[in-house]
Amino acid sequence: MSEMTFDRMVQQMSPAIYASLKQAVSLRKWPDGRVLSAEQVELCLEAIIKYEAENKVPAEERVGYLERSSCSSDSEDSIKWVN
């Protein structure tokens, strides 16, 4: 898909299509049950991320958002490596 066509598609994407793509990527299948190929997942994710950036979706609602409550290594929630 050419970059201009892809950009135009994302600009014309409705919130309903955006939500449907997010669900398809999350479940790894289309609403009709067909499994997404690796290429389809990649293209859907690219469209979702571009849509979120262009439509100023709040960070906490974006795909891949991880809440970071603390950067302190002394926190009880920090990862502890065990040998």
Side-chain angles (χ1 to χ4, degrees):
M1 181 178 294
S2 75
E3 199 62 34
M4 288 299 290
T5 304
F6 184 79
D7 289 343
R8 196 170 358 164
M9 179 206 61
V10 172
Q11 289 169 351
Q12 295 174 354
M13 191 184 308
S14 70
I17 292 172
Y18 162 73
S20 181
L21 287 177
K22 279 182 70 171
Q23 182 180 28
V25 169
S26 175
L27 299 175
R28 296 295 198 255
K29 59 183 174 179
W30 296 112
D32 66 3
R34 289 178 296 139
V35 177
L36 272 73
S37 69
E39 183 180 11
Q40 289 172 324
V41 171
E42 185 178 325
L43 285 170
C44 288
L45 278 172
E46 187 176 343
I48 290 166
I49 291 167
K50 192 170 202 61
Y51 176 93
E52 291 173 342
E54 290 182 4
N55 291 281
K56 300 188 181 3
V57 173
E60 61 275 1
E61 294 176 20
R62 292 183 182 190
V63 167
Y65 173 76
L66 296 174
E67 186 174 348
R68 298 184 188 258
S69 58
S70 174
C71 291
S72 171
S73 61
D74 296 331
S75 170
E76 291 180 24
D77 295 333
S78 65
I79 297 173
K80 307 253 190 263
W81 297 101
V82 179
N83 290 333

